[in-house]
Amino acid sequence: MTENIGPADRAYRGVLRATGLTVLVVMGLVGLFLGFRAAQALRVAGWGFLTTEAWEPDAKVFGIATVLTGTLLIAAVAILIAVPMATGTALYISEYTSGWWKKLLITLVDLMAAVPSVVYGLWGFFLLQGHVIGLSRWISDYFGWIPFLAVEGVDPSDPLASETVYTSSTFIAGLVVAMMITPVICSVMREVFAQAPAGEREGAYALGATRWGMIRAVVLPYGRGGMIGGTMLGLGRALGETIAVYLIISPAVEIQPLILQNGANSVSALIALRYGESTPFATSALMAAGLSLFVLTLIVNFVASSFIARSRSGAASDA
Amino acid sequence: MLGESRLSDKLATLGAAAAALSFTALLYTQLTPFNGVFGFVVIAWLSFLGFYALLVSFDEDGPAVRDRVAAAVVRSMGLLLIGVLAVIVVYTVARGWKALGHKNFLFEDMKLAGPRDPLTVGGIRHAIIGTLEQIGLALVVTVPLGLGCAVFLNEIRGRFSRFVRTIAEAMTALPSIVAGLFVYAMLIMGLGFGKSGFAASVALGVMMLPIIIRAADVVLRLVPGTLKEASLALGASRWRTAWHVVLPTARSGLTTAVILGTARGVGETSPVLLTAGFTAVTNANPFSGPQVSLPLQTFEAVKSPMPDMIARGFGTAAVLMVLVVVLFVLARLAGGRAPGRLTARQQRRRMRASARDVLRFQGRRR
């Protein structure tokens, strides 16, 4: 729209453009600075950055193979647990409740998304870990023949074996991260479920479907895009989670594919652990690790928003 | 009627629950060497589903049995999540109660209290001050900038604003630790600032800005175009339309956006960990010297092996939780309503105002 605008409006537009530009500069600065500072380390490491397991930047031997695998494993465990829980909860809220209880549940789930990660970390470390060890042990005893569920260094037939090999594992960290991302995924899913068209719901009931039949025939297919999008959004959060993971894991120095075994690592935990190393080059290496994490979450988030945008118009949700 | 339950359903639920509990108890005490609460709950739940399906199948057909079992699974998922939230809150408060019970906990800092000192000495005043100042500083910059940018995205359409929106959305993916690392490398290593509350607030701001922009953008997009057109048609200029029509209409949603962004920022540990430094004394000046915040104090306290220090950590976490809950209640009170929807009190105020206007018009005509 072009029109003759007064000086006040011209100033107003100028101010708005300036705000937009400022935000752009701030955001761009973060990206550029990360890339610029990371370049120094990346030039030294080359492609080996992706395949080296050790992290000794001062010896010029460093790579993110260990931490990236750890991050992905923790996120995978978290997603495997969080998606069924989030789907169940979202269906419960949108299909099985109504009135004040529904409103209260929505508020509680949103509140759960805002609980600080350090609190989740405390809960996971001091309370959950003790109770999960038994489960870890049971799984590894009976399903240890599946490669990544094995635990080394224990004798399954010895009931008094030390339980420390089961602590601080990828599995426990993933479990805690799952609790953090479930509410995020749940609120996206709930919104798309609630938008399933009433006509088709009634149609399903009129054809004699039970409530579960209606959910399977109408609500779930309609909400598929949102379900995938919400899951990806949760995945993005899981990849970047720092403090809860840091509190639980005991850092592994090489790739740890056994998810029930003591020792795990993640990119963000590595940064939190090693940022104090004062040489500029070590910081540059950490920047490179941070950049790779950022690129990963960026891809995941873009995929997520494209799925969510396809499933419904306009309103995007942020936890 | 859907959703209403009959007597037989309730009886089936109760019966299956009783059977599952007895079965699991028998399994645990007599038949197998199992132990542990976790396993007990899992086995009890699975056997409950089995017994429930069996009971329902006595007088229903296949699809109905599946419906009941699915309903039971879905309900238990929902209740499980709420249960987890309750456990987290109760556990944090319970473990921190020992520390919270002492009045000095909120009004003293840790200057004179070492890790071995009892809970009657020392507290988290320095962390409370730090959190308030850091989040306040971050908000002073992010709220005008974030809301301004959201208005920009909605009012001035074009290639540039689309680009800004893409970038802002991309930045919501920025892991908070990377935001901290950025500020650490730029302000602290690059420009030579010391670790301070200010550096922490910059990191928090970088993290909160895209969250606020995105949430506010969504709210502003919902403001009806007809309202804007009506205002413009009455001859109001663009900025008057934005200031007097768009922003007031979306006020509740915008407040919610800001408060929820604040709630996320208050609880962030990792950016603060890298940028604020750590201190045991009260430092009210965010621009010089290390300044600790609530999540950071929690984090540092629980790393100590001393039980009293861990109790302090939980106490700090409980205070932090209270802060988040308060912010949340504020957000719910302030907003959650669609743009233009008024509370009862606002509606009464509008009606009184328009009644006054009517009187004024009539008075003028006479």
Side-chain angles (χ1 to χ4, degrees):
Chain A
M1 217 180 340
T2 53
E3 70 263 80
N4 50 339
I5 52 175
D9 262 7
R10 207 166 295 142
Y12 161 71
R13 289 189 164 201
V15 169
L16 281 193
R17 270 183 216 284
T19 4
L21 196 66
T22 316
V23 169
L24 194 65
V25 166
V26 170
M27 302 296 166
L29 209 60
V30 177
L32 287 180
F33 198 83
L34 272 180
F36 177 70
R37 292 299 299 258
Q40 188 194 357
L42 286 177
R43 260 199 303 275
V44 172
W47 287 107
F49 186 67
L50 291 176
T51 53
T52 310
E53 289 186 33
W55 188 267
E56 281 149 20
D58 291 325
K60 306 282 188 255
V61 180
F62 59 97
I64 52 170
T66 307
V67 285
L68 197 62
T69 327
T71 299
L72 292 175
L73 279 176
I74 291 175
V77 172
I79 286 292
L80 280 181
I81 298 166
V83 167
M85 269 191 78
T87 315
T89 310
L91 281 178
Y92 176 58
I93 293 177
S94 88
E95 306 299 320
Y96 288 86
T97 58
S98 58
W100 65 271
W101 177 232
K102 183 175 192 160
K103 272 187 202 151
L104 180 66
L105 280 177
I106 293 175
T107 310
L108 285 178
V109 170
D110 286 348
L111 176 65
M112 198 169 168
V115 169
S117 62
V118 66
V119 176
Y120 278 102
L122 291 190
W123 170 76
F125 183 74
F126 287 97
L127 182 67
L128 190 68
Q129 178 148 286
H131 292 286
V132 171
I133 288 173
L135 181 69
S136 296
R137 179 174 194 158
W138 187 81
I139 296 176
S140 74
D141 281 357
Y142 290 95
F143 297 93
W145 46 272
I146 302 173
F148 59 93
L149 293 180
V151 169
E152 281 166 6
V154 282
D155 176 13
S157 59
D158 175 12
L160 298 174
S162 162
E163 292 193 317
T164 49
V165 286
Y166 301 103
T167 56
S168 305
S169 64
T170 305
F171 176 65
I172 297 173
L175 202 58
V176 173
V177 174
M179 293 305 129
M180 306 179 61
I181 62 174
T182 302
V184 177
I185 305 177
C186 176
S187 48
V188 176
M189 286 191 183
R190 178 179 54 74
E191 276 178 32
V192 289
F193 289 160
Q195 287 176 356
E200 292 181 24
R201 287 164 186 263
E202 285 161 12
Y205 281 137
L207 290 170
T210 57
R211 178 163 16 193
W212 179 241
M214 185 279 289
I215 290 173
R216 282 191 55 179
V218 179
V219 177
L220 290 180
Y222 184 86
R224 193 176 295 140
M227 286 172 74
I228 297 173
T231 306
M232 300 294 271
L233 214 56
L235 181 61
R237 283 285 285 277
L239 292 172
E241 177 45 42
T242 311
I243 289 299
V245 173
Y246 181 104
L247 278 173
I248 287 166
I249 61 165
S250 59
V253 289
E254 51 191 23
I255 293 178
Q256 173 61 281
L258 309 174
I259 61 170
L260 298 171
Q261 176 110 36
N262 180 299
N265 218 332
S266 80
V267 178
S268 47
L270 174 84
I271 298 174
L273 201 64
R274 307 298 279 276
Y275 76 97
E277 294 175 351
S278 49
T279 63
F281 186 75
T283 315
S284 165
L286 284 180
M287 283 293 211
L291 184 69
S292 59
L293 181 63
F294 180 40
V295 170
L296 194 64
T297 48
L298 202 59
I299 295 170
V300 168
N301 243 39
F302 265 122
V303 176
S305 53
S306 73
F307 269 108
I308 296 177
R310 213 178 298 164
S311 74
R312 65 220 163 102
S313 61
S317 142
D318 195 68
Chain B
M1 195 27 218
L2 277 164
E4 247 173 58
S5 58
R6 291 167 299 179
L7 183 63
S8 64
D9 290 348
K10 281 179 189 152
L11 288 179
T13 315
L14 282 178
L21 277 180
S22 343
F23 172 71
T24 320
L26 186 70
L27 207 62
Y28 260 65
T29 55
Q30 306 296 328
L31 298 177
T32 57
F34 290 167
N35 54 31
V37 185
F38 206 81
F40 187 91
V41 173
V42 172
I43 295 177
W45 184 67
L46 289 176
S47 54
F48 167 77
L49 289 181
F51 286 120
Y52 185 64
L54 185 71
L55 283 179
V56 174
S57 72
F58 286 151
D59 42 22
E60 303 280 1
D61 57 351
V65 174
R66 279 199 290 281
D67 177 51
R68 296 297 154 74
V69 174
V73 172
V74 163
R75 285 212 167 91
S76 36
M77 291 283 185
L79 296 180
L80 174 64
L81 195 67
I82 301 305
V84 169
L85 176 66
V87 167
I88 291 174
V89 173
V90 170
Y91 182 71
T92 310
V93 174
R95 286 282 303 255
W97 197 249
K98 244 175 29 175
L100 288 170
H102 299 281
K103 221 169 76 185
N104 54 312
F105 189 63
L106 292 180
F107 300 107
E108 282 181 17
D109 57 27
M110 296 295 290
K111 188 176 178 182
L112 301 173
R116 286 170 185 280
D117 281 322
L119 291 169
T120 46
V121 188
I124 54 165
R125 183 184 64 187
H126 55 318
I128 296 175
I129 292 176
T131 283
L132 293 180
E133 285 187 354
Q134 288 167 16
I135 209 78
L137 268 178
L139 283 176
V140 164
V141 180
T142 48
V143 167
L145 201 57
L147 295 187
C149 181
V151 173
F152 164 72
L153 294 179
N154 278 280
E155 293 294 305
I156 302 180
R157 303 281 165 91
R159 200 180 294 160
F160 180 54
S161 65
R162 270 203 303 279
F163 180 62
V164 173
R165 176 178 283 142
T166 312
I167 296 293
E169 281 192 359
M171 289 317 268
T172 53
L174 185 75
S176 56
I177 183 97
V178 179
L181 190 63
F182 160 71
V183 173
Y184 177 75
M186 192 180 88
L187 280 186
I188 296 172
M189 290 191 72
L191 298 180
F193 278 79
K195 288 191 175 184
S196 62
F198 173 69
S201 69
V202 173
L204 289 176
V206 167
M207 201 214 83
M208 282 159 57
L209 188 59
I211 298 178
I212 291 181
I213 291 176
R214 199 168 168 183
D217 180 32
V218 172
V219 175
L220 287 176
R221 222 182 290 170
L222 296 178
V223 173
T226 46
L227 277 182
K228 282 186 248 174
E229 285 161 18
S231 165
L232 291 174
L234 285 170
S237 63
R238 291 252 161 195
W239 79 268
R240 280 195 172 277
T241 305
W243 188 251
H244 291 291
V245 177
V246 176
L247 288 180
T249 311
R251 186 190 289 146
S252 88
L254 292 177
T255 317
T256 313
V258 170
I259 295 178
L260 293 185
T262 314
R264 276 283 293 282
V266 160
E268 277 297 345
T269 318
S270 37
V272 182
L273 171 71
L274 268 59
T275 50
F278 187 75
T279 175
V281 299
T282 307
N283 175 12
N285 180 5
F287 294 98
S288 86
Q291 188 184 44
V292 83
S293 71
L294 284 171
L296 187 57
Q297 171 69 31
T298 309
F299 179 70
E300 298 289 344
V302 297
K303 284 202 297 191
S304 156
M306 305 306 294
D308 278 349
M309 227 30 216
I310 294 178
R312 284 195 185 101
F314 274 97
T316 319
V319 173
L320 183 61
M321 281 295 296
V322 169
L323 192 61
V324 171
V325 170
V326 166
L327 282 171
F328 230 80
V329 171
L330 280 181
R332 283 287 165 253
L333 290 181
R337 289 185 302 280
R341 202 66 69 72
L342 300 176
T343 59
R345 188 192 293 173
Q346 284 172 323
Q347 221 154 15
R348 281 198 297 277
R349 202 185 298 154
R350 288 286 166 89
M351 281 164 74
R352 278 201 300 275
S354 79
R356 272 199 306 277
D357 284 344
V358 169
L359 281 179
R360 197 156 52 89
F361 291 162
Q362 285 170 343
R364 207 170 268 177
R365 203 178 298 154
R366 255 180 237 135

